[in-house]
Amino acid sequence: QVQLVESGGGLVQAGGSLRLSCAASGRTFSTYTLGWFRQAPGKEREFVAVINWSGSRIYYQGSVKGRFTISRDNAKNTGYLQMNSLKPEDTAVYYCAAGNKGFTTSRNEYDYWGRGTQVTVSS
């Protein structure tokens, strides 16, 4: 089955940037929808961004629009989340997810998940 591993998290000051990577196993990753989600302490896991298999469809949560950029390189079996102008409220564990149930923002419709990477933004 597909396995996903996130990397690139860390501690950054407000206004700084981080680039998260999601490395996927297998050659079929290119056919899957890729989503990014995050979960802060005491909160439910929430949608951040999604990109379809070809990159022709992209959608962002309103609070990250204009600051975050989702992308993918199917030749490298890797997805990315570029995060700029980071705010303390962006602090969370960030997860990448993959699925074949369509272009969706719902965490319940993704079949494969990474273990997450911690992003901490200090004020």
Side-chain angles (χ1 to χ4, degrees), residues 37-46 48 90-95 107 117-119:
F37 295 78
R38 66 187 182 186
Q39 188 167 20
K43 296 184 178 180
E44 294 292 316
R45 190 170 301 184
E46 67 174 357
V48 176
D90 294 319
T91 295
V93 176
Y94 283 71
Y95 300 87
R107 63 181 185 271
T117 185
Q118 177 71 48
V119 172

Side-chain angles (χ1 to χ4, degrees), residues 55-122:
S56 63
R57 299 183 67 189
I58 292 174
Y59 184 73
Y60 298 96
Q61 181 212 97
S63 68
V64 308
K65 186 176 68 175
R67 300 189 298 120
F68 291 11
T69 302
I70 187 172
S71 63
R72 66 192 299 164
D73 186 339
N74 290 337
K76 297 181 178 180
N77 280 0
T78 303
Y80 304 96
L81 185 68
Q82 177 67 46
M83 306 185 295
N84 299 325
S85 302
L86 284 163
K87 304 175 181 179
E89 49 263 47
D90 294 319
T91 295
V93 176
Y94 283 71
Y95 300 87
C96 65
N100 60 2
K101 298 179 181 177
F103 189 75
T104 178
T105 63
S106 175
R107 63 181 185 271
N108 295 325
E109 297 184 33
Y110 287 85
D111 296 316
Y112 306 103
W113 293 83
R115 294 181 180 272
T117 185
Q118 177 71 48
V119 172
T120 303
V121 184
S122 62

